[in-house]
Structures are given as structure tokens and as C-alpha cells.
Coordinates of all heavy atoms in Angstrom, one line a residue:
M1 N -6.1 -0.1 -5.0 CA -5.5 0.1 -6.3 C -4.5 -1.1 -6.4 O -3.8 -1.5 -5.4 CB -4.7 1.4 -6.3 CG -4.1 1.7 -7.6 SD -3.2 3.3 -7.7 CE -4.1 4.4 -6.7
S2 N -4.4 -1.7 -7.6 CA -3.5 -2.8 -7.8 C -2.5 -2.3 -8.9 O -2.9 -2.0 -10.0 CB -4.3 -4.0 -8.3 OG -3.4 -5.1 -8.4
L3 N -1.2 -2.2 -8.5 CA -0.2 -1.6 -9.4 C 0.8 -2.7 -9.8 O 1.3 -3.4 -9.0 CB 0.6 -0.5 -8.7 CG -0.2 0.7 -8.3 CD1 0.7 1.6 -7.4 CD2 -0.8 1.5 -9.4
P4 N 1.0 -2.8 -11.1 CA 2.1 -3.7 -11.6 C 3.5 -3.1 -11.2 O 3.7 -1.9 -11.4 CB 1.9 -3.8 -13.1 CG 1.1 -2.6 -13.5 CD 0.3 -2.2 -12.3
I5 N 4.3 -4.0 -10.7 CA 5.7 -3.5 -10.4 C 6.6 -4.5 -11.2 O 6.7 -5.7 -10.9 CB 6.0 -3.7 -8.9 CG1 4.9 -3.0 -8.1 CG2 7.4 -3.2 -8.6 CD1 4.9 -1.5 -8.1
G6 N 7.3 -4.0 -12.2 CA 8.2 -4.8 -13.0 C 7.4 -5.7 -13.9 O 6.2 -5.5 -14.1
A7 N 8.0 -6.8 -14.3 CA 7.3 -7.8 -15.2 C 6.4 -8.7 -14.5 O 5.4 -9.1 -15.1 CB 8.4 -8.6 -15.9
I8 N 6.6 -9.1 -13.2 CA 5.8 -10.1 -12.6 C 5.1 -9.7 -11.3 O 4.2 -10.4 -10.8 CB 6.5 -11.4 -12.5 CG1 7.8 -11.2 -11.6 CG2 7.0 -12.0 -13.8 CD1 8.5 -12.5 -11.1
D9 N 5.6 -8.7 -10.7 CA 5.1 -8.3 -9.3 C 3.9 -7.4 -9.4 O 3.7 -6.7 -10.4 CB 6.2 -7.7 -8.5 CG 7.3 -8.7 -8.1 OD1 6.9 -9.8 -7.7 OD2 8.4 -8.4 -8.2
R10 N 3.1 -7.4 -8.3 CA 2.0 -6.5 -8.2 C 1.8 -6.1 -6.8 O 2.0 -6.9 -5.9 CB 0.7 -7.3 -8.7 CG -0.6 -6.4 -8.6 CD -1.7 -7.1 -9.4 NE -1.4 -7.4 -10.8 CZ -1.4 -6.5 -11.8 NH1 -1.7 -5.2 -11.5 NH2 -1.1 -6.8 -13.0
M11 N 1.6 -4.8 -6.6 CA 1.4 -4.2 -5.2 C -0.1 -3.8 -5.1 O -0.6 -3.0 -5.9 CB 2.3 -3.1 -5.0 CG 2.1 -2.3 -3.7 SD 2.6 -3.3 -2.2 CE 4.4 -3.4 -2.5
N12 N -0.8 -4.4 -4.2 CA -2.2 -3.9 -3.9 C -2.1 -2.9 -2.8 O -1.4 -3.1 -1.8 CB -3.0 -5.1 -3.4 CG -3.2 -6.1 -4.4 OD1 -3.3 -5.8 -5.6 ND2 -3.2 -7.4 -4.1
I13 N -2.7 -1.7 -3.0 CA -2.7 -0.6 -2.1 C -4.1 -0.2 -1.8 O -4.9 0.0 -2.7 CB -1.9 0.6 -2.6 CG1 -0.5 0.1 -3.1 CG2 -1.9 1.7 -1.6 CD1 0.1 1.1 -4.0
I14 N -4.5 -0.1 -0.5 CA -5.8 0.4 -0.1 C -5.5 1.7 0.7 O -4.7 1.7 1.6 CB -6.5 -0.6 0.9 CG1 -6.7 -1.9 0.1 CG2 -7.8 0.0 1.4 CD1 -7.3 -3.0 1.0
A15 N -6.1 2.7 0.3 CA -6.0 4.0 1.0 C -7.4 4.5 1.3 O -8.3 4.6 0.5 CB -5.3 5.0 0.1
C16 N -7.6 4.8 2.6 CA -8.9 5.2 3.1 C -8.8 6.6 3.7 O -7.9 6.8 4.6 CB -9.5 4.2 4.0 SG -9.8 2.6 3.3
W17 N -9.7 7.5 3.4 CA -9.8 8.8 4.0 C -11.0 8.8 5.0 O -12.1 8.6 4.5 CB -9.9 9.9 3.0 CG -9.9 11.2 3.5 CD1 -11.0 12.0 3.6 CD2 -8.8 12.0 3.9 NE1 -10.6 13.3 4.1 CE2 -9.3 13.3 4.3 CE3 -7.5 11.8 4.0 CZ2 -8.5 14.3 4.8 CZ3 -6.6 12.8 4.5 CH2 -7.1 14.0 4.9
H18 N -10.7 8.9 6.3 CA -11.8 8.9 7.3 C -11.5 9.9 8.4 O -10.4 9.8 9.0 CB -12.0 7.5 7.8 CG -13.1 7.3 8.8 ND1 -14.4 7.5 8.4 CD2 -13.1 7.1 10.1 CE1 -15.1 7.3 9.5 NE2 -14.4 7.0 10.5
Q19 N -12.4 10.8 8.7 CA -12.3 11.7 9.8 C -10.9 12.5 9.7 O -10.2 12.6 10.6 CB -12.4 11.1 11.1 CG -13.8 10.5 11.3 CD -14.0 9.9 12.7 OE1 -13.0 9.8 13.5 NE2 -15.2 9.5 13.0
Q20 N -10.7 13.0 8.5 CA -9.5 13.9 8.3 C -8.2 13.1 8.4 O -7.1 13.7 8.7 CB -9.5 15.1 9.2 CG -10.8 15.9 9.1 CD -10.9 16.5 7.7 OE1 -10.0 17.0 7.1 NE2 -12.2 16.4 7.1
Q21 N -8.2 11.8 8.3 CA -6.9 11.0 8.4 C -6.9 10.0 7.2 O -7.9 9.4 6.8 CB -6.9 10.2 9.7 CG -6.2 11.0 10.8 CD -5.8 10.0 11.9 OE1 -6.5 9.0 12.2 NE2 -4.7 10.3 12.6
L22 N -5.7 9.8 6.7 CA -5.4 8.8 5.6 C -4.9 7.6 6.2 O -3.9 7.6 7.0 CB -4.4 9.4 4.6 CG -4.1 8.5 3.5 CD1 -5.3 8.3 2.5 CD2 -2.9 9.1 2.7
S23 N -5.4 6.4 5.9 CA -4.9 5.1 6.3 C -4.5 4.4 5.1 O -5.2 4.4 4.1 CB -5.8 4.4 7.2 OG -7.0 4.1 6.5
T24 N -3.4 3.7 5.1 CA -2.9 2.9 4.0 C -2.6 1.5 4.4 O -2.1 1.2 5.5 CB -1.6 3.6 3.4 OG1 -0.7 3.8 4.4 CG2 -1.9 4.9 2.7
H25 N -2.8 0.6 3.4 CA -2.5 -0.8 3.6 C -1.9 -1.3 2.3 O -2.4 -1.2 1.2 CB -3.9 -1.5 3.9 CG -3.7 -3.0 4.1 ND1 -3.7 -3.5 5.4 CD2 -3.6 -4.0 3.3 CE1 -3.5 -4.8 5.3 NE2 -3.5 -5.2 4.1
F26 N -0.7 -1.9 2.4 CA 0.1 -2.4 1.3 C 0.1 -3.9 1.3 O 0.4 -4.5 2.4 CB 1.5 -1.9 1.3 CG 1.6 -0.4 1.3 CD1 1.5 0.4 2.4 CD2 1.7 0.3 0.1 CE1 1.6 1.8 2.4 CE2 1.7 1.7 0.0 CZ 1.7 2.4 1.2
E27 N -0.2 -4.6 0.2 CA -0.1 -6.0 0.1 C 0.7 -6.4 -1.1 O 0.5 -5.9 -2.2 CB -1.5 -6.6 0.0 CG -2.4 -6.4 1.1 CD -3.8 -7.0 0.9 OE1 -4.1 -7.4 -0.2 OE2 -4.6 -7.1 1.9
C28 N 1.5 -7.5 -0.9 CA 2.3 -7.9 -2.0 C 2.8 -9.4 -1.8 O 2.9 -9.8 -0.6 CB 3.6 -7.0 -2.2 SG 4.6 -7.4 -3.6
A29 N 3.0 -10.1 -2.8 CA 3.5 -11.5 -2.7 C 5.0 -11.6 -2.7 O 5.6 -12.6 -2.4 CB 2.9 -12.4 -3.8
N30 N 5.7 -10.5 -3.0 CA 7.1 -10.5 -3.0 C 7.6 -9.9 -1.7 O 7.5 -8.7 -1.5 CB 7.6 -9.6 -4.2 CG 9.1 -9.6 -4.4 OD1 9.8 -9.5 -3.4 ND2 9.5 -9.5 -5.6
R31 N 8.3 -10.7 -0.9 CA 8.7 -10.3 0.4 C 9.8 -9.1 0.3 O 9.7 -8.2 1.1 CB 9.4 -11.4 1.2 CG 9.8 -11.1 2.6 CD 10.4 -12.3 3.3 NE 9.6 -13.5 3.3 CZ 8.7 -13.7 4.2 NH1 8.4 -12.8 5.2 NH2 7.9 -14.8 4.2
K32 N 10.7 -9.2 -0.7 CA 11.7 -8.2 -0.8 C 11.1 -6.8 -1.2 O 11.5 -5.8 -0.7 CB 12.7 -8.7 -1.9 CG 13.9 -7.8 -2.0 CD 14.9 -8.4 -2.9 CE 16.1 -7.5 -3.1 NZ 17.2 -8.0 -3.9
L33 N 10.1 -6.9 -2.1 CA 9.4 -5.7 -2.6 C 8.6 -5.0 -1.4 O 8.7 -3.8 -1.2 CB 8.5 -5.9 -3.7 CG 7.7 -4.8 -4.3 CD1 8.6 -3.6 -4.7 CD2 6.8 -5.2 -5.4
L34 N 8.0 -5.9 -0.7 CA 7.2 -5.4 0.5 C 8.1 -4.7 1.5 O 7.8 -3.6 2.1 CB 6.4 -6.5 1.1 CG 5.4 -6.1 2.2 CD1 4.3 -5.2 1.6 CD2 4.7 -7.3 2.8
H35 N 9.3 -5.3 1.7 CA 10.3 -4.7 2.7 C 10.7 -3.4 2.2 O 10.9 -2.4 2.9 CB 11.4 -5.7 2.9 CG 12.5 -5.2 3.8 ND1 12.3 -5.0 5.1 CD2 13.7 -4.7 3.5 CE1 13.4 -4.5 5.7 NE2 14.3 -4.4 4.7
H36 N 11.0 -3.3 0.9 CA 11.4 -2.0 0.3 C 10.3 -0.9 0.5 O 10.6 0.2 0.8 CB 11.7 -2.2 -1.2 CG 12.2 -0.9 -1.9 ND1 13.4 -0.3 -1.6 CD2 11.6 -0.1 -2.8 CE1 13.5 0.8 -2.3 NE2 12.4 0.9 -3.0
I37 N 9.1 -1.3 0.3 CA 8.0 -0.4 0.5 C 7.9 0.1 1.9 O 7.7 1.3 2.2 CB 6.6 -1.0 0.1 CG1 6.6 -1.3 -1.4 CG2 5.4 -0.2 0.5 CD1 6.7 -0.1 -2.3
E38 N 8.1 -0.8 2.9 CA 8.2 -0.5 4.3 C 9.3 0.5 4.6 O 9.1 1.4 5.4 CB 8.4 -1.7 5.1 CG 7.2 -2.6 5.2 CD 7.5 -3.8 6.1 OE1 7.7 -3.6 7.3 OE2 7.5 -5.0 5.6
Q39 N 10.4 0.4 3.9 CA 11.5 1.3 4.1 C 11.3 2.7 3.5 O 11.8 3.7 4.1 CB 12.8 0.8 3.5 CG 13.3 -0.5 4.2 CD 14.6 -1.0 3.5 OE1 14.7 -1.0 2.3 NE2 15.5 -1.5 4.4
V40 N 10.6 2.8 2.4 CA 10.4 4.1 1.8 C 9.1 4.8 2.2 O 8.9 6.0 2.0 CB 10.4 4.1 0.2 CG1 11.8 3.6 -0.2 CG2 9.3 3.2 -0.3
T41 N 8.2 4.1 2.8 CA 6.9 4.7 3.3 C 7.1 5.9 4.2 O 6.4 6.9 4.1 CB 6.0 3.6 3.9 OG1 5.7 2.6 2.9 CG2 4.6 4.2 4.3
P42 N 8.1 5.9 5.2 CA 8.2 7.0 6.0 C 8.5 8.3 5.2 O 8.1 9.4 5.7 CB 9.5 6.7 6.9 CG 9.4 5.2 6.9 CD 8.9 4.7 5.6
H43 N 9.1 8.2 4.1 CA 9.3 9.4 3.2 C 8.0 9.9 2.7 O 7.7 11.1 2.6 CB 10.2 9.1 2.1 CG 11.6 8.7 2.5 ND1 12.5 9.5 3.1 CD2 12.2 7.5 2.5 CE1 13.6 8.9 3.4 NE2 13.4 7.6 3.0
L44 N 7.1 9.0 2.3 CA 5.7 9.4 1.9 C 5.0 10.0 3.0 O 4.3 11.1 2.8 CB 5.0 8.1 1.4 CG 3.5 8.3 1.1 CD1 3.3 9.3 -0.1 CD2 2.8 7.0 0.8
I45 N 5.0 9.4 4.2 CA 4.3 10.0 5.4 C 4.8 11.4 5.7 O 4.0 12.3 6.0 CB 4.4 9.0 6.6 CG1 3.9 7.6 6.2 CG2 3.8 9.6 7.8 CD1 2.4 7.6 5.8
S46 N 6.1 11.5 5.6 CA 6.7 12.9 5.9 C 6.2 13.9 4.9 O 5.9 15.0 5.3 CB 8.2 12.7 5.8 OG 8.8 14.0 6.0
R47 N 6.2 13.5 3.6 CA 5.7 14.4 2.6 C 4.2 14.8 2.8 O 3.8 15.9 2.7 CB 5.9 13.8 1.2 CG 5.5 14.7 0.1 CD 6.3 16.0 0.0 NE 5.8 16.8 -1.1 CZ 5.7 18.1 -1.0 NH1 5.9 18.8 0.1 NH2 5.2 18.8 -2.0
L48 N 3.4 13.8 3.2 CA 2.0 14.0 3.5 C 1.8 15.0 4.6 O 1.0 15.9 4.6 CB 1.3 12.7 3.8 CG 1.1 11.8 2.6 CD1 0.5 10.4 3.1 CD2 0.2 12.4 1.5
Q49 N 2.7 14.9 5.7 CA 2.6 15.8 6.8 C 3.0 17.2 6.4 O 2.4 18.2 6.9 CB 3.6 15.3 7.9 CG 3.1 14.1 8.6 CD 4.1 13.5 9.6 OE1 5.3 13.8 9.6 NE2 3.6 12.6 10.5
Q50 N 3.9 17.3 5.5 CA 4.3 18.7 5.0 C 3.1 19.3 4.3 O 3.0 20.5 4.2 CB 5.5 18.6 4.0 CG 6.8 18.2 4.7 CD 7.9 18.0 3.6 OE1 7.7 18.1 2.4 NE2 9.1 17.7 4.1
L51 N 2.3 18.5 3.7 CA 1.1 19.0 3.0 C -0.1 19.2 3.9 O -1.2 19.5 3.5 CB 0.7 18.0 1.8 CG 1.7 17.9 0.7 CD1 1.4 16.8 -0.2 CD2 1.9 19.2 0.0
G52 N 0.1 18.9 5.2 CA -1.0 19.0 6.2 C -1.9 17.8 6.3 O -3.0 17.9 6.8
I53 N -1.5 16.7 5.7 CA -2.3 15.5 5.8 C -1.8 14.6 6.9 O -0.7 14.2 6.9 CB -2.3 14.7 4.4 CG1 -2.8 15.7 3.3 CG2 -3.0 13.4 4.5 CD1 -2.6 15.1 1.9
T54 N -2.7 14.3 7.8 CA -2.4 13.3 8.9 C -2.7 11.9 8.4 O -3.6 11.7 7.6 CB -3.1 13.7 10.2 OG1 -4.5 13.6 10.0 CG2 -2.7 15.0 10.7
S55 N -2.0 11.0 9.0 CA -2.2 9.6 8.6 C -2.0 8.6 9.8 O -1.3 9.0 10.7 CB -1.3 9.2 7.5 OG 0.1 9.3 7.9
T56 N -2.6 7.5 9.7 CA -2.4 6.4 10.7 C -1.2 5.6 10.2 O -0.8 5.7 9.1 CB -3.7 5.5 10.7 OG1 -3.9 4.9 9.5 CG2 -4.9 6.3 11.1
P57 N -0.6 4.9 11.1 CA 0.5 4.1 10.7 C 0.1 3.1 9.6 O -0.9 2.4 9.7 CB 0.9 3.3 12.0 CG 0.4 4.1 13.1 CD -0.9 4.8 12.6
P58 N 0.9 3.0 8.6 CA 0.6 2.1 7.5 C 0.7 0.6 7.9 O 1.4 0.3 8.9 CB 1.7 2.4 6.4 CG 2.7 3.2 7.1 CD 2.2 3.7 8.3
Q59 N -0.1 -0.2 7.2 CA -0.1 -1.6 7.5 C 0.5 -2.4 6.2 O 0.3 -1.9 5.1 CB -1.5 -2.1 7.7 CG -2.2 -1.5 8.9 CD -3.6 -2.0 9.1 OE1 -4.1 -2.9 8.4 NE2 -4.3 -1.3 10.0
Y60 N 1.2 -3.5 6.5 CA 1.8 -4.2 5.4 C 1.4 -5.7 5.6 O 1.4 -6.2 6.7 CB 3.4 -4.1 5.5 CG 3.8 -2.7 5.6 CD1 4.0 -2.0 6.8 CD2 4.0 -2.0 4.4 CE1 4.5 -0.7 6.8 CE2 4.5 -0.6 4.4 CZ 4.7 0.0 5.6 OH 5.1 1.3 5.7
K61 N 1.2 -6.4 4.4 CA 0.8 -7.8 4.5 C 1.5 -8.5 3.3 O 1.4 -8.1 2.2 CB -0.7 -7.9 4.4 CG -1.2 -9.3 4.5 CD -2.7 -9.4 4.4 CE -3.2 -10.9 4.4 NZ -4.6 -10.9 4.3
L62 N 2.1 -9.6 3.7 CA 2.7 -10.5 2.6 C 1.6 -11.5 2.3 O 1.0 -12.2 3.1 CB 3.9 -11.3 3.2 CG 4.6 -12.2 2.2 CD1 5.3 -11.3 1.1 CD2 5.7 -13.0 3.0
I63 N 1.2 -11.5 1.0 CA 0.1 -12.4 0.5 C 0.7 -13.5 -0.3 O 1.8 -13.5 -0.7 CB -0.9 -11.6 -0.3 CG1 -0.3 -10.9 -1.5 CG2 -1.6 -10.6 0.6 CD1 -1.3 -10.2 -2.4
T64 N -0.2 -14.5 -0.6 CA 0.2 -15.7 -1.4 C 0.1 -15.3 -2.9 O -0.7 -14.3 -3.2 CB -0.6 -16.9 -1.1 OG1 -2.0 -16.6 -1.5 CG2 -0.5 -17.3 0.3
H65 N 0.7 -16.0 -3.8 CA 0.6 -15.7 -5.2 C -0.8 -15.9 -5.7 O -1.3 -15.2 -6.6 CB 1.5 -16.6 -6.0 CG 3.0 -16.2 -5.9 ND1 3.5 -15.1 -6.4 CD2 4.0 -16.8 -5.1 CE1 4.8 -15.0 -6.1 NE2 5.1 -16.0 -5.3
Q66 N -1.6 -16.8 -5.1 CA -3.0 -17.0 -5.5 C -3.8 -15.8 -5.3 O -4.7 -15.4 -6.1 CB -3.6 -18.2 -4.8 CG -2.9 -19.5 -5.1 CD -3.1 -20.6 -4.1 OE1 -3.5 -20.3 -2.9 NE2 -2.9 -21.8 -4.5
Q67 N -3.6 -15.1 -4.1 CA -4.3 -13.9 -3.8 C -3.9 -12.7 -4.7 O -4.6 -11.8 -4.9 CB -4.1 -13.5 -2.4 CG -4.7 -14.5 -1.4 CD -4.3 -14.2 0.0 OE1 -3.1 -13.8 0.3 NE2 -5.2 -14.3 1.0
E68 N -2.7 -12.8 -5.2 CA -2.1 -11.6 -5.9 C -2.9 -11.2 -7.1 O -2.9 -10.0 -7.5 CB -0.7 -12.0 -6.3 CG 0.1 -10.9 -6.9 CD 1.5 -11.3 -7.3 OE1 1.8 -12.5 -7.3 OE2 2.3 -10.4 -7.6
N69 N -3.5 -12.1 -7.8 CA -4.2 -11.8 -9.0 C -5.5 -11.1 -8.8 O -6.1 -10.6 -9.7 CB -4.5 -13.1 -9.8 CG -3.2 -13.7 -10.3 OD1 -2.2 -13.1 -10.6 ND2 -3.2 -15.1 -10.4
S70 N -6.0 -11.1 -7.6 CA -7.3 -10.4 -7.2 C -7.0 -9.2 -6.4 O -6.3 -9.3 -5.4 CB -8.2 -11.3 -6.5 OG -8.4 -12.5 -7.2
P71 N -7.5 -8.0 -6.8 CA -7.3 -6.8 -5.9 C -8.0 -7.1 -4.6 O -9.0 -7.9 -4.5 CB -8.0 -5.7 -6.7 CG -8.2 -6.2 -8.1 CD -8.2 -7.7 -8.0
P72 N -7.5 -6.5 -3.5 CA -8.2 -6.7 -2.2 C -9.6 -6.2 -2.2 O -10.0 -5.2 -2.8 CB -7.3 -5.8 -1.3 CG -6.6 -4.8 -2.2 CD -6.5 -5.5 -3.5
A73 N -10.4 -6.9 -1.5 CA -11.9 -6.6 -1.4 C -12.0 -5.5 -0.4 O -11.5 -5.5 0.7 CB -12.7 -7.8 -0.9
S74 N -12.7 -4.4 -0.8 CA -13.0 -3.3 0.1 C -14.2 -2.5 -0.5 O -14.5 -2.6 -1.7 CB -11.8 -2.4 0.3 OG -11.5 -1.7 -0.9
A75 N -14.8 -1.8 0.3 CA -15.9 -0.9 -0.1 C -15.3 0.3 -0.8 O -14.3 0.7 -0.5 CB -16.8 -0.5 1.0
G76 N -16.0 0.8 -1.8 CA -15.6 2.1 -2.4 C -15.0 1.8 -3.8 O -15.2 0.8 -4.4
L77 N -14.2 2.7 -4.3 CA -13.6 2.7 -5.6 C -12.4 1.7 -5.6 O -11.5 1.7 -4.7 CB -13.1 4.1 -5.9 CG -12.3 4.2 -7.3 CD1 -13.3 3.9 -8.4 CD2 -11.8 5.6 -7.4
S78 N -12.3 0.8 -6.6 CA -11.2 -0.1 -6.8 C -10.6 0.2 -8.2 O -11.3 0.2 -9.1 CB -11.7 -1.6 -6.7 OG -10.6 -2.4 -6.9
I79 N -9.3 0.4 -8.2 CA -8.6 0.6 -9.5 C -7.6 -0.4 -9.7 O -6.8 -0.7 -8.8 CB -7.9 2.0 -9.4 CG1 -8.9 3.1 -9.1 CG2 -7.1 2.3 -10.7 CD1 -8.3 4.5 -8.8
K80 N -7.6 -1.0 -10.9 CA -6.5 -2.0 -11.3 C -5.8 -1.4 -12.5 O -6.4 -1.0 -13.5 CB -7.1 -3.3 -11.6 CG -6.1 -4.4 -12.0 CD -6.7 -5.7 -12.2 CE -5.6 -6.7 -12.4 NZ -6.1 -8.1 -12.6
V81 N -4.5 -1.2 -12.3 CA -3.6 -0.6 -13.4 C -3.0 -1.7 -14.2 O -2.4 -2.6 -13.6 CB -2.6 0.4 -12.8 CG1 -1.7 1.0 -13.9 CG2 -3.3 1.5 -12.0

């Protein structure tokens, strides 16, 4: 999923459900925004655990502005907002 954040930023998020576990991968060209996502993700993981959803440790990647315009390549459903 590619989500616009503010006027110029975009966060690419890949979420995969495999063998009863959720794995997440966050990509962004804005270092400060990516750091903020890293700080709040434990709250998301905690909430998922409360709902009985197990997850693998999230992955974070700082990307270049050139890659930012294209959603990450992966198999399955791709959503651009």
C-alpha cells in the first residue's frame, strides 16, 4: 500500500499474512518520518497482540526519492491511495 503523508511524503507499506503471522515492511524517502513510524510501530504491534494476531518484527527501509513514486514490487494486491 502506498499512502500519502502530508503534501509531499509517501509511505510504502507491505503487509503479508503467512502461516498465521503478519509481517510488515515500511519504506519512505523521509528519514524523520520513517524514524517516527519506527517509534509508534510498537503500539501497533501491541494492539495486534491484544487482538490475538502474532507478527514478525517489522522492517524499515529508507528509499531514494526516485523510488518513492513507485509502489514496492510484490506479489498479490497492491493499493495506491
Side-chain angles (χ1 to χ4, degrees):
M1 184 180 325
S2 185
L3 299 172
I5 309 289
I8 60 171
D9 289 317
R10 181 166 302 282
M11 176 69 64
N12 295 323
I13 306 163
I14 299 171
C16 297
W17 182 256
H18 182 67
Q19 296 183 353
Q20 304 299 316
Q21 273 197 325
L22 179 68
S23 62
T24 52
H25 183 95
F26 299 90
E27 297 180 347
C28 185
N30 181 326
R31 183 180 307 275
K32 188 175 181 179
L33 177 59
L34 190 62
H35 179 70
H36 181 69
I37 294 298
E38 288 181 65
Q39 291 179 322
V40 299
T41 302
H43 300 289
L44 170 65
I45 301 303
S46 175
R47 181 65 179 135
L48 291 172
Q49 288 174 344
Q50 290 174 1
L51 296 171
I53 299 171
T54 59
S55 60
T56 61
Q59 298 177 10
Y60 307 93
K61 181 180 178 185
L62 185 64
I63 59 175
T64 65
H65 288 287
Q66 295 160 342
Q67 294 170 318
E68 184 180 14
N69 294 328
S70 305
S74 68
L77 178 65
S78 178
I79 300 170
K80 183 174 183 179
V81 178

